[in-house]
Amino acid sequence: YSANLTIENSVICGNENSIGGGIYISGTSPYIPNVTIVNCIISDNKCTEYGGGMYLMGVEASVQNSLFWNNEGGNLHCDDQWLGVNVTTNNNLDSCDAYGNLISDPQFTNSSIGDFTIGSESPCIDAGNNSYVTSVIDFVNNYRIWDGNNDNDSIVDIGCYEFGSKYNPVNMISSLTKSQVESFAFPNPVSSELNIKIENIATIEIYDLSGKKLFSLKEAPIIVSGLQSGFYIVKVTDKNKFCYSQKVFKY
């Protein structure tokens, strides 16, 4: 038996464990997991022993288009001696490992408040490999491959956010305009009560910008007065299995 696990378009930040602060996966023959990690941000995790960002031992691992940064206890502990070791350069001529992963300052917008989106000077922009991409949207439902540095060559960004990208209405209800879908949660900014203008709601989920799901419910309005000030992602799925996401600010 070998488990197959894929982690894609995810933010793995702010976690703590004795081993493998952000991700911990291990196996022993004949039980060898097959692990694929693509377009992820693994940052600001910590451990007391080793593998602050990620621990992968006894696994068949494929890790691409991902970022490792500021993980206490080391970014990586794994079987692959080349994973997380700068041995080549990418499209932007920045140092990266043999699989195109970055181990350098990503220029987060404001990681101190959990905002792990990237700024205009980030080395993550247009630094990935399009052949590894399997999703048409990023973490916040923007187009996954975008020309973020405006050089007329659309290349995927490292991590789960596509800088400068536009909203991708994949699986959205066609009767709603782009502006309506982008503003389905209101008011924004919000102080105490968030409303949703989508019919036939199945689930409403609130995430912080590290990708951690804070709570889930089935109807609006949503009481957010207990949340700390900062940005959050609201994801709504209706009964037809259409999905919506919006970034909101709680003040």
Side-chain angles (χ1 to χ4, degrees):
Y1 170 79
S2 293
N4 294 311
L5 174 65
T6 297
I7 304 173
E8 183 173 11
N9 289 339
S10 297
V11 186
I12 300 139
C13 302
N15 302 292
E16 183 176 357
N17 200 0
S18 59
I19 298 175
I23 297 175
Y24 176 92
I25 306 172
S26 66
T28 303
S29 182
Y31 306 108
I32 307 298
N34 290 296
V35 180
T36 300
I37 298 172
V38 182
N39 281 112
C40 291
I41 293 174
I42 303 167
S43 178
D44 292 60
N45 304 288
K46 60 182 179 180
C47 70
T48 55
E49 295 186 42
Y50 38 79
M54 183 169 66
Y55 177 99
L56 295 177
M57 296 296 289
V59 304
E60 294 291 337
S62 177
V63 184
Q64 299 103 5
N65 288 354
S66 293
L67 167 80
F68 299 90
W69 179 249
N70 198 36
N71 294 289
E72 185 177 323
N75 286 314
L76 296 157
H77 188 84
C78 59
D79 294 318
D80 190 333
Q81 63 176 326
W82 301 114
L83 183 59
V85 178
N86 288 333
V87 293
T88 185
T89 56
N90 59 21
N91 301 317
N92 298 331
L93 301 181
D94 291 322
S95 295
C96 63
D97 72 8
Y99 312 105
N101 302 298
L102 280 180
I103 307 93
S104 56
D105 187 350
Q107 303 287 323
F108 290 136
T109 300
N110 194 344
S111 60
S112 65
I113 61 170
D115 188 345
F116 292 95
T117 56
I118 55 177
S120 59
E121 301 301 317
S122 174
C124 297
I125 297 172
D126 283 20
N129 186 325
N130 291 350
S131 65
Y132 297 137
V133 179
T134 61
S135 174
V136 296
I137 55 175
D138 70 0
F139 183 68
V140 290
N141 277 10
N142 289 331
Y143 284 98
R144 177 68 272 190
I145 299 177
W146 194 262
D147 182 15
N149 61 4
N150 298 312
D151 66 350
N152 296 315
D153 191 9
S154 297
I155 299 175
V156 66
D157 291 357
I158 296 292
C160 61
Y161 298 105
E162 197 75 12
F163 179 79
S165 183
K166 304 299 182 182
Y167 175 77
N168 182 354
V170 62
N171 289 335
M172 299 300 174
I173 295 176
S174 59
S175 62
L176 295 181
T177 66
K178 175 177 178 289
S179 62
Q180 286 174 319
V181 170
E182 288 182 326
S183 59
F184 67 81
F186 68 97
N188 187 15
V190 61
S191 174
S192 59
E193 187 174 285
L194 188 67
N195 294 287
I196 304 294
K197 57 180 178 183
I198 292 174
E199 297 180 351
N200 301 314
I201 294 172
T203 59
I204 304 170
E205 298 172 320
I206 306 295
Y207 294 81
D208 64 20
L209 289 186
S210 73
K212 178 182 179 181
K213 185 166 72 173
L214 303 178
F215 56 87
S216 176
L217 60 164
K218 296 186 180 299
E219 59 183 20
I222 309 161
I223 305 303
V224 297
S225 54
L227 296 177
Q228 294 182 350
S229 177
F231 286 99
Y232 296 88
I233 301 297
V234 181
K235 291 191 176 183
V236 176
T237 304
D238 69 14
K239 293 178 181 178
N240 294 315
K241 297 184 178 180
F242 291 107
C243 299
Y244 310 79
S245 71
Q246 182 181 332
K247 187 177 181 180
V248 301
F249 183 77
K250 160 65 173 62
Y251 65 91

